[in-house]
Amino acid sequence: MQISTQRWPRFAQVLLTSAVLIAPTLAQLETPQSAPPVPPTAADTHSKAEQEKETAARHQAALTLLNLVLAGAKNLSLPQNRIALASDAFPILWTRNEPLARSLVTQMTSDFAQASSREQESPDPNARQLLHQQWQIVLRTIAANDPELALSFMNATRTYTQIGNPDQQEAEERALRLDLAAQEAAHNPRNALRLAEKDLQSPGDLPLELLNLLTQINASEAGAQLLQNIVSRVRTSLLDGNNFNFAVNLLNSQANSTANTSASNDALKTLADAIASAALSPESPAQNLPMLQGSLPTFEQLAPTRVQALRQKVEEFTGTLNPQQQAWNQFNEAQASGDPNQILAVAEQAEPDMRSNLYQQVAWQFANTGDLQRARQIADNLPDPFQRQQVLQQAIRQSASIAANQGEYAAARQLAQEIKPDEDRATLLAQFASGAAGARQQQLAQDMLEEAGALLANRAAGASVFAAQLQVAQAFAHVKPARAMPLLEHSAAQLEQVLSAAFAVDAFLPYTHSFDSGELLLTNSFLSNSLIRPYAEATAELALYDLPSARILADRLTLPEARLLAELFVARSALGDPAPPAQAGVVLSRRFRPAVIWQQ
């Protein structure tokens, strides 16, 4: 790739110089020590001693690699790329060198300020939105390790990534603060309570995120106090539709909580009585009544004297609905039961113009439970052949997954033969092979992976085949590492071709670009999210078994920013750290969902 061969010699010299300068600081990184082993035999002593020596050497090599990555990241021109690498490095550093991890947060704050300034000069109308999305990713990453630090970071950087109108921005930040408080509750319930009480002073509707926070601190005295404070606030504004909905959700979520104290029960009884009074008021909006239909058992428990009047008013309202609306209400009640047979009975009695939509929903219910026979029967009633095929494929997937979860890997493999296209079947086989290897069925795991590899051998290159290829390589890394190498070498060659071609045409494309100022964007771009990160994750799987080979594969990427990301993933894996969920690169399988059907 022309751009990388021009940039790399200068970049490599600066990177190595920087690595020498920061090596003393990063030498403070420590690898967590494992628990003392059980006293072994003489033969085992040598074996375990050798294993510990190999682990120590691998960790030291990984820390050296991390030194180079952090040094190289400082020399990237795009602040968004420096942020992306710092965000991925933060969890690795947090457990080994917290002061250095905190310095990365300070660095990211400065980089967001610079990115915001650059964005104002950018002709890309989506630049602000992309920067905001990256801010949310970083915030979640920090919060997973220290919610209080994440809150401080949010307050320091919020003005750099604001989008939309002020009210929309405030609503989003309010929800984020409550999510951070919910995570803080696990460590400091009193501090979480303080944040919640501060939020209760804000005017307007109460956000549903407050319910999650209450659930997190419910087991402590702070939870009972927060519940009473919320009830005091919400009971005065129940004629408002949004707060009425919040109150009903609060009542249902807390009614059967095992953590409820006598004070909590008194608060819930007060809330139930207030909701009933609001619902029975002539001023109550009619649209509030359907919310109560599924909550009547809760009122029987907490406000038994009001149940009869509530039931009568709900039935009167239901009687005013047209037949189609009534059918939807019945269907929703059946869905709430979780019984597919009950849902099917409602669908069979529905009007002809509704029946097709309802059958579609029922078919998905059976498919998602892995009931292949019933899913096939219901799918025959679907007029759309594409929908019929989707339902059947999902039913097969789920049935095969259930078999694998029960340890019946041979049966799962047999069911997978019906999966189409071939790359989807290969991906599923790779998942099952990983499970079989974990269950010590090594030969079966290897056979499934060989079958998966053969399915991909003659497939035309494309994004879905590339993803499946990486999935098979990742599974091989655990089962037979040597077989992962050719697959990853082939993936690296394909990736280099794609990057070279993409750089040449990127400026001519009308949609969001993957390059900026000659650098590949490491976040919020198709090339990064769908190709670079998945390749880096797959390569990193080898690091625990063959770190030198994983390093070679990471260095196959000639763009420095892409290579730094792959090297960071390799270092993380070699140290034994899991990939953060928010940064997972490879999607394990497609998830089909039925179309959303809107109801009036």
Side-chain angles (χ1 to χ4, degrees):
M1 189 181 299
Q2 186 177 4
I3 181 174
S4 62
T5 55
Q6 291 175 343
R7 291 164 49 198
W8 173 242
R10 177 188 65 81
F11 183 89
Q13 184 177 5
V14 174
L15 185 152
L16 292 173
T17 302
S18 301
V20 172
L21 292 176
I22 69 166
T25 301
L26 290 175
Q28 301 172 32
L29 293 173
E30 295 182 359
T31 302
Q33 299 296 314
S34 58
V38 176
T41 64
D44 289 338
T45 300
H46 178 75
S47 175
K48 289 189 176 181
E50 288 296 319
Q51 290 176 4
E52 289 175 357
K53 184 177 179 180
E54 291 173 2
T55 299
R58 184 178 70 247
H59 286 180
Q60 185 56 51
L63 293 175
T64 300
L65 180 58
L66 184 58
N67 291 357
L68 291 173
V69 171
L70 293 176
K74 294 181 179 180
N75 298 292
L76 297 177
S77 63
L78 288 182
Q80 296 96 315
N81 280 349
R82 297 197 298 270
I83 292 168
L85 290 170
S87 176
D88 279 313
F90 174 83
I92 307 174
L93 292 172
W94 185 256
T95 57
R96 296 176 172 85
N97 189 331
E98 185 177 323
L100 188 55
R102 288 182 180 274
S103 73
L104 285 184
V105 175
T106 302
Q107 172 194 317
M108 287 190 284
T109 301
S110 175
D111 284 336
F112 268 111
Q114 184 180 344
S116 179
S117 178
R118 289 183 80 260
E119 173 273 326
Q120 294 174 6
E121 303 172 2
S122 172
D124 185 356
N126 296 318
R128 192 73 170 181
Q129 178 67 38
L130 295 175
L131 187 63
H132 185 78
Q133 291 174 1
Q134 187 175 28
W135 178 72
Q136 292 175 317
I137 291 172
V138 173
L139 196 58
R140 288 197 298 269
T141 300
I142 299 173
N145 297 277
D146 189 329
E148 191 170 1
L149 179 60
L151 184 60
S152 175
F153 172 80
M154 185 183 81
N155 292 332
T157 55
R158 55 184 295 275
T159 58
Y160 302 140
T161 63
Q162 289 180 335
I163 58 173
N165 59 55
D167 290 341
Q168 176 186 349
Q169 182 71 21
E170 174 54 34
E172 181 191 15
E173 290 180 6
R174 185 180 184 184
L176 286 171
R177 284 194 297 270
L178 289 172
D179 282 339
L180 293 175
Q183 295 184 60
E184 176 72 4
H187 311 286
N188 191 337
R190 283 291 170 186
N191 192 35
L193 175 62
R194 179 182 59 81
L195 293 171
E197 289 178 333
K198 183 177 180 180
D199 183 83
L200 284 174
Q201 298 172 11
S202 302
D205 298 332
L206 293 177
L208 290 175
E209 287 80 8
L210 198 56
L211 299 181
N212 182 45
L213 172 56
L214 176 60
T215 300
Q216 295 302 316
I217 63 175
N218 213 12
S220 65
E221 293 181 7
Q225 183 178 341
L226 178 57
L227 174 61
Q228 293 181 53
N229 293 344
I230 294 175
V231 169
S232 296
R233 163 71 189 279
V234 75
R235 62 183 294 206
T236 62
S237 55
L238 286 175
L239 292 179
D240 176 87
N242 290 331
N243 277 337
F244 188 89
N245 180 42
F246 176 92
V248 173
N249 276 285
L250 172 62
L251 190 70
N252 289 331
S253 65
Q254 296 296 311
N256 297 312
S257 173
T258 56
N260 282 346
T261 64
S262 59
S264 298
N265 286 327
D266 289 343
L268 290 174
K269 289 177 181 179
T270 299
L271 179 62
D273 189 70
I275 294 173
S277 296
L280 295 172
S281 169
E283 300 175 5
S284 177
Q287 61 264 28
N288 286 347
L289 293 173
M291 303 178 200
L292 298 178
Q293 195 161 18
S295 304
L296 292 176
T298 303
F299 284 96
E300 288 180 350
Q301 174 187 347
L302 297 171
T305 60
R306 315 298 291 272
V307 171
Q308 185 58 38
L310 286 173
R311 181 175 286 109
Q312 181 178 347
K313 189 159 186 177
V314 169
E315 290 174 353
E316 289 173 356
F317 171 77
T318 304
T320 65
L321 301 177
N322 61 45
Q324 189 177 41
Q325 290 172 322
Q326 292 185 23
W328 274 117
N329 277 348
Q330 293 173 3
F331 185 77
N332 289 334
E333 287 182 27
Q335 274 195 314
S337 73
D339 182 359
N341 294 300
Q342 188 175 337
I343 302 171
L344 177 60
V346 174
E348 289 173 340
Q349 297 170 7
E351 297 292 327
D353 58 340
M354 291 182 59
R355 199 170 297 153
S356 176
N357 284 336
L358 295 183
Y359 272 136
Q360 180 184 336
Q361 302 291 317
V362 176
W364 280 104
Q365 290 278 347
F366 282 117
N368 288 328
T369 59
D371 191 336
L372 185 54
Q373 181 178 356
R374 297 296 293 275
R376 289 187 194 277
Q377 292 173 352
I378 305 303
D380 290 338
N381 294 294
L382 301 179
D384 185 344
F386 177 73
Q387 281 286 346
R388 190 160 55 244
Q389 182 65 16
Q390 274 197 318
V391 165
L392 290 176
Q393 286 289 298
Q394 175 64 6
I396 296 168
R397 288 170 185 276
Q398 193 65 19
S399 183
S401 296
I402 290 172
N405 290 337
Q406 294 173 347
E408 300 173 1
Y409 295 104
R413 181 186 185 185
Q414 184 61 40
L415 285 166
Q417 301 307 309
E418 297 186 58
I419 295 294
K420 299 177 182 178
D422 286 347
E423 55 265 31
D424 284 5
R425 191 193 317 168
T427 298
L428 204 60
L429 286 171
Q431 294 176 48
F432 296 159
S434 296
R440 299 182 181 275
Q441 299 181 36
Q442 202 75 8
Q443 188 58 54
L444 177 59
Q446 188 169 334
D447 290 346
M448 284 194 282
L449 288 176
E450 295 293 351
E451 179 184 343
L455 288 170
L456 301 175
N458 298 317
R459 296 287 293 174
S464 61
V465 175
F466 182 81
Q469 192 171 272
L470 293 178
Q471 281 285 283
V472 175
Q474 280 184 279
F476 261 129
H478 296 283
V479 176
K480 194 173 183 181
R483 286 287 288 115
M485 283 293 294
L487 287 172
L488 291 171
E489 286 281 358
H490 182 56
S491 298
Q494 289 179 315
L495 192 49
E496 283 293 285
Q497 292 176 350
V498 170
L499 290 176
S500 180
F503 179 76
V505 303
D506 190 68
F508 295 90
L509 300 177
Y511 44 82
T512 302
H513 299 293
S514 291
F515 291 85
D516 185 354
S517 303
E519 274 187 20
L520 173 71
L521 290 167
L522 294 182
T523 187
N524 292 323
S525 73
F526 170 78
L527 291 179
S528 173
N529 295 342
S530 299
L531 301 180
I532 300 295
R533 284 182 177 270
Y535 174 79
E537 290 285 6
T539 297
E541 290 294 330
L542 270 178
L544 283 174
Y545 310 98
D546 188 349
L547 179 56
S549 294
R551 176 74 186 274
I552 290 171
L553 288 165
D555 290 347
R556 284 290 308 274
L557 302 181
T558 54
L559 281 177
E561 54 274 18
R563 180 168 55 256
L564 286 171
L565 183 69
E567 289 175 341
L568 176 58
F569 282 22
V570 166
R572 181 185 65 202
S573 179
L575 289 167
D577 289 10
Q583 299 295 320
V586 180
V587 178
L588 292 181
S589 63
R590 296 180 183 177
R591 295 191 179 199
F592 296 107
R593 295 180 177 87
V596 175
I597 301 176
W598 295 97
Q599 307 161 39
Q600 298 296 327

